[in-house]
Amino acid sequence: MEDQIRNELVDYNRFSITLGVWVAIVVVFISVLAYILKRRLSGGKTVLIVGLCDSGKTVLFSKLINPEYSPETYTSLKENRCEDVSVTSDRLVTLVDFPGSEKLRKKLFGNYLQKNRNSLKGIVFVIDSSTFSRKSRDVAAFFYDVLYESEKKVPVLVACNKQNCPLAKSSQAVRTALEREFGYINGTREAALDSTDGVARKRTLTNTGKCFSWDDLPLLRLDFIECFVKKENGDVGDKQCDIGAIQAWIAAL
């Protein structure tokens, strides 16, 4: 009788241990699955809109939310944010319009391009094509830093805006000019020293110096498109904006 009871206790203990192990495995599995699902659902939803001041970022931001809305814009020191925007019928994103002020670059780089980079689905870099000829160096320097700080890990769309203006540069002209300016920046930064002991601080995208080419960034998804987000005085036709290429790019991310 005692042997039978002892055997039953042993069997019960074995069962309890086995059950405990399986419960622990199931709990760990569910926790890992929940974490993965949370990352997929919450991460990679933000489309960041950046560019110099007066490039048309805020109007684009508004048009992506409501194409019929044409807001009066002004220089701001605070980003605009809108969640669950239906850029297409089946895809919701979070749009962030970040101010172009140089004073806020540190916040842009530290908060969005470094700390919260995994939350980014893509970056739209807006350029005023009508003033690009005289602002090409400023545009290139900012764009260069955006690519550098994001470590070339986030898809980027260069939106050559204001194509309805007479002096607007084409997307191909902008692409070629930026490629040339990136070469100059590469060369300058490679030659720069951050201390008197000759230790170079290289904040460069590539090691190709002035011979930079877009082909030097094979892992980066980089696209150039032409658009206009606001109808200008003298424009003919009923079209208030042309942002279809931007919407299609976001939908394809």
Side-chain angles (χ1 to χ4, degrees), residues 66-181:
N66 181 2
E68 303 300 323
Y69 181 52
S70 298
E72 293 295 329
T73 62
Y74 55 91
T75 301
S76 173
L77 296 179
K78 184 177 180 180
E79 62 263 41
N80 297 308
R81 183 183 184 92
C82 186
E83 298 183 356
D84 295 332
V85 178
S86 179
V87 175
T88 62
S89 59
D90 60 347
R91 188 179 297 270
L92 298 178
V93 298
T94 296
L95 295 178
V96 175
D97 161 33
F98 199 90
S101 173
E102 192 170 353
K103 298 178 182 178
L104 301 177
R105 300 279 169 85
K106 185 176 181 180
K107 178 181 178 182
L108 170 65
F109 298 154
N111 188 30
Y112 285 99
L113 301 184
Q114 296 174 1
K115 181 180 178 181
N116 296 309
R117 184 189 305 136
N118 290 336
S119 70
L120 292 179
K121 178 180 287 290
I123 299 172
V124 178
F125 191 92
V126 185
I127 293 176
D128 182 347
S129 302
S130 66
T131 62
F132 179 75
S133 294
R134 56 187 174 86
K135 293 185 177 181
S136 59
R137 289 191 176 181
D138 292 335
V139 172
F142 186 17
F143 186 39
Y144 190 103
D145 285 336
V146 167
L147 296 185
Y148 179 84
E149 297 295 343
S150 64
E151 296 185 358
K152 301 167 285 186
K153 294 181 178 179
V154 183
V156 178
L157 174 69
V158 179
C160 301
N161 187 28
K162 303 188 182 182
Q163 288 294 315
N164 52 337
C165 294
L167 300 178
K169 294 293 184 181
S170 68
S171 59
Q172 183 57 49
V174 170
R175 179 187 177 96
T176 301
L178 286 177
E179 187 175 51
R180 181 175 61 252
E181 291 293 338

Side-chain angles (χ1 to χ4, degrees), residues 208-233:
T208 53
K210 293 183 178 180
C211 298
F212 173 84
S213 168
W214 294 121
D215 293 334
D216 298 335
L217 306 174
L219 300 181
L220 173 67
R221 177 181 173 182
L222 177 63
D223 300 291
F224 288 75
I225 61 99
E226 298 177 358
C227 66
F228 69 88
V229 299
K230 184 178 180 181
K231 189 174 182 179
E232 300 292 337
N233 293 332

